[in-house]
Amino acid sequence: MAEKIRTDGQRRLYRVDELTLFVENRPRTQHGLSSGVDPAFSGRGIGDRLIRSGLDYAFNWLGVTRGELEVFHNNQRVRRLYQHQRIGFEQESLRRKACLRDG
């Protein structure tokens, strides 16, 4: 996922993360947030800052009143990140066989 954006003299700039907001015109409808960090850059707090920035924008600028997310059950690192106190998501349900992965 690390993508070279440009070379600026001695610096090389890379995109190592991605955040996408899927926003409906009505604030009370379901919105989506998708994020990803290149595995080579994990463990540096990038995902934490990325998600908090996206949620801040959604709640404080777009008027979103509730956030939901979906995470693969075996992605413990991301589940810990989302349930961390600063982000504060809580697990409400578990959807079994909700998608086909690696197949």
Side-chain angles (χ1 to χ4, degrees), residues 21-78:
L21 289 170
F22 303 94
V23 181
E24 295 289 332
N25 289 330
R26 299 176 307 260
R28 293 196 177 267
T29 60
Q30 184 176 6
H31 308 285
L33 184 135
S34 172
S35 69
V37 176
D38 188 303
F41 294 88
S42 66
R44 301 181 189 191
I46 296 170
D48 180 74
R49 289 190 304 272
L50 189 68
I51 293 299
R52 284 191 290 127
S53 295
L55 292 174
D56 175 66
Y57 183 74
F59 287 117
N60 296 316
W61 293 92
L62 299 177
V64 173
T65 57
R66 177 180 165 84
E68 297 180 2
L69 57 92
E70 294 180 2
V71 179
F72 288 115
H73 70 93
N74 60 347
N75 192 341
Q76 295 300 322
R77 172 176 250 159
V78 171

